[in-house]
Amino acid sequence: MIKRCIAYGAAMLVILYTFLIYDAEVLSAILILSILYPILSLSWLALTRKSLRTERDRVPEMGEEGKEIRAGILLKNLSRYFAIQYEVKIVVTDRNREEKAVKICRGNLAPESSETVWCDFETTECGVLEVSVESIRRYDWFRIFYLTEEKEEQSLIKIFPEYELIPMEITRRVREFQADDTEYAQDRKGDDASETYQIRSYREQDNIKDIHWKLTAREGKLMIRERGFPLGCVVLIWIDYPEGKKEKNDFSGMVKNAASLSVTLTEEKCIHLVAWYDDLTGKVVMWRVKTVQDACYMTWNLLDIHPYKRTDWMNECRKECFRGREFAAVIEVDASGRFWQNGQKAEYLRI
C-alpha cells in the first residue's frame, strides 16, 4: 500500500506540474479528480468494510493419504448496491512438517452474490493440514487503493494413512491370556469366577470346585458352572512421541505404522489397548480397540498427538496409569515408526 501511495503521489506531482505549465480546463478537472480520488476511495472502502464475508463450510474434515483434496472458501457480498473487487490469500499448512502452500485468488463480486474459491492440493503423507484464510484485500474501482483485513480463520483436515497389514505371529499364550473386563466371550469358557459361561452336567475330568451345589440339589445330579472368559485388552501398543529434532517423515511413519498394527491385530481378533502421553493435558490417552471401526476412531485422535517435553513426567504418568494391569505383550512405536519389544528393535513381531 505504501508503494501505491508513493506512486500515486508522484503521478499527482506530474499532473500538478503539467497544470502549472499549460493552462487548460481539462488539466484542472484532472487535478481536482486526482485530489478527490483518494478521499472517495478510502471512504468507499470504509463503507463496505463489513460487506465481504467468508465461510469455510466447504473444507472437508478428512482426507486420504495419496489422494487429491479439494477445499472451498465461500465468499459472500452482503452489500445490496456495491460490487466488491477482492484478493483473498489462502494458506495450507502441514502442521507436523511446518510446510506451507499459498494460493492467492482475485475476483469481482456483484451485489448480493457469492463465489466459491477452490484450492486443490495433493497429499503424500498422513497428518493434519490447516486451511486458513490469512487475509482479504478489498480494492477500489480502479484497483489503486485497498484495505487489508487480517483473518484468523482456519479449518483442520485430518489425512488418514493407508493401512497395511503388518507381518506378525500371535502365539497361543496371547490368545489364551485373560485380562479383566466387563465384556465376556460367548464362544469359550475362561477362569473368571465372577461370570458364568454356561451350566452343564458333570463330567469325570471336571474340577470339584466348579460344582454348582444349589442346582445340583435341585436337579438331583451333579451340575457344573463354567466360568467366563473376559475380553480384556491383552496387548498394549504404546506410542512414544518425544519432542526433539525429527526427520521429515517421522510423524507420518509413526501414525501409519501404529494404525496398521492396530488394524492387523483386529483382523487377528486380538483385542488391544493403544495409549500415548498427551503433553497438553498431562495424562495418558487410552483407546480400547476391538474392531476396525475402533482402530479408525483411535487413528482420528492419534493425529492430534503433541510431542512431550519431559520424559520423567511421561514415565511417571505411564507407570501410574498401568499400575496393577497386566498385558500378554507390550509393543512400543517410536517417533520414527519403528517397533520395539522388550527394549529391542523388532523387525518381525512375534507376541
Side-chain angles (χ1 to χ4, degrees):
M1 187 66 173
I2 296 178
K3 293 181 179 179
R4 289 173 178 259
C5 292
I6 294 175
Y8 190 84
M12 284 189 61
L13 291 176
V14 172
I15 295 173
L16 179 60
Y17 177 76
T18 307
F19 171 75
L20 294 176
I21 295 178
Y22 303 100
D23 186 12
E25 294 183 358
V26 175
L27 292 176
S28 301
I30 294 176
L31 180 61
I32 294 173
L33 288 176
S34 63
I35 295 174
L36 293 177
Y37 185 83
I39 300 174
L40 296 175
S41 174
L42 294 177
S43 300
W44 182 84
L45 290 174
L47 182 64
T48 59
R49 68 183 185 279
K50 295 183 179 180
S51 299
L52 189 59
R53 179 185 297 176
T54 61
E55 295 181 2
R56 293 164 288 112
D57 54 351
R58 299 184 183 181
V59 178
E61 293 184 353
M62 62 172 290
E64 295 183 37
E65 178 185 6
K67 294 186 178 180
E68 186 180 83
I69 293 181
R70 196 177 201 204
I73 305 297
L74 181 64
L75 302 176
K76 288 185 176 181
N77 183 2
L78 304 181
S79 175
R80 300 178 59 183
Y81 308 105
F82 304 111
I84 297 178
Q85 298 186 71
Y86 67 86
E87 178 183 287
V88 58
K89 184 178 181 181
I90 303 174
V91 180
V92 180
T93 306
D94 189 322
R95 193 171 69 180
N96 305 105
R97 294 190 295 166
E98 298 182 353
E99 295 181 356
K100 291 186 178 182
V102 179
K103 182 176 181 180
I104 297 178
C105 303
R106 300 177 178 88
N108 185 20
L109 281 176
E112 294 186 322
S113 65
S114 61
E115 181 181 354
T116 301
V117 178
W118 294 101
C119 184
D120 300 322
F121 48 91
E122 295 284 345
T123 59
T124 58
E125 299 175 359
C126 64
V128 180
L129 300 180
E130 297 177 355
V131 180
S132 60
V133 179
E134 190 170 280
S135 63
I136 295 181
R137 287 182 178 179
R138 290 179 295 105
Y139 288 89
D140 59 17
W141 310 282
F142 300 105
R143 299 185 70 88
I144 298 177
F145 298 106
Y146 62 84
L147 289 181
T148 302
E149 298 179 25
E150 301 294 336
K151 297 285 186 178
E152 295 183 358
E153 303 174 352
Q154 68 175 19
S155 298
L156 299 181
I157 304 177
K158 293 186 177 182
I159 309 301
F160 267 62
E162 184 178 357
Y163 300 113
E164 297 178 357
L165 295 181
I166 304 295
M168 65 184 307
E169 178 185 352
I170 301 179
T171 62
R172 182 178 178 181
R173 182 182 68 87
V174 172
R175 295 193 181 278
E176 295 180 353
F177 188 85
Q178 299 182 44
D180 293 337
D181 200 83
T182 57
E183 184 180 358
Y184 293 85
Q186 302 297 318
D187 57 351
R188 55 176 169 168
K189 63 179 180 178
D191 297 325
D192 193 337
S194 63
E195 183 72 13
T196 300
Y197 170 61
Q198 68 175 0
I199 304 294
R200 60 171 176 81
S201 300
Y202 176 80
R203 299 170 188 164
E204 291 185 3
Q205 67 272 20
D206 290 333
N207 192 328
I208 193 173
K209 295 181 179 180
D210 293 333
I211 296 178
H212 197 299
W213 294 107
K214 290 185 178 180
L215 283 178
T216 296
R218 188 172 63 184
E219 297 292 333
K221 60 179 180 178
L222 292 176
M223 302 297 293
I224 293 295
R225 173 181 176 269
E226 291 185 337
R227 303 176 182 182
F229 189 99
L231 296 177
C233 299
V234 299
V235 176
L236 170 64
I237 301 177
W238 177 261
I239 300 173
D240 189 37
Y241 190 47
E243 187 180 56
K245 188 176 181 180
K246 305 176 182 64
E247 299 176 359
K248 184 177 181 180
N249 298 330
D250 277 350
F251 182 82
S252 177
M254 180 190 70
V255 173
K256 183 174 183 177
N257 287 348
S260 296
L261 177 59
S262 181
V263 171
T264 302
L265 289 174
T266 59
E267 293 291 333
E268 294 291 337
K269 309 299 181 184
C270 182
I271 302 175
H272 56 282
L273 187 71
V274 183
W276 61 86
Y277 178 71
D278 186 356
D279 192 61
L280 295 180
T281 62
K283 298 180 180 179
V284 174
V285 179
M286 296 184 292
W287 281 89
R288 180 180 184 270
V289 180
K290 181 181 178 182
T291 64
V292 175
Q293 186 177 16
D294 295 335
C296 292
Y297 286 143
M298 180 277 298
T299 306
W300 176 269
N301 288 271
L302 178 59
L303 289 170
D304 292 326
I305 189 174
H306 291 81
Y308 62 83
K309 301 176 182 178
R310 294 283 301 271
T311 303
D312 53 343
W313 288 2
M314 182 276 296
N315 289 331
E316 186 64 27
C317 287
R318 178 180 177 180
K319 181 179 178 181
E320 187 65 27
C321 182
F322 297 111
R323 188 185 303 275
R325 299 190 64 171
E326 295 183 359
F327 299 94
V330 178
I331 304 173
E332 293 191 9
V333 183
D334 65 13
S336 298
R338 296 171 296 188
F339 299 123
W340 295 78
Q341 277 187 281
N342 302 321
Q344 296 182 349
K345 183 180 176 181
E347 298 293 343
Y348 176 78
L349 292 175
R350 185 178 186 274
I351 60 176

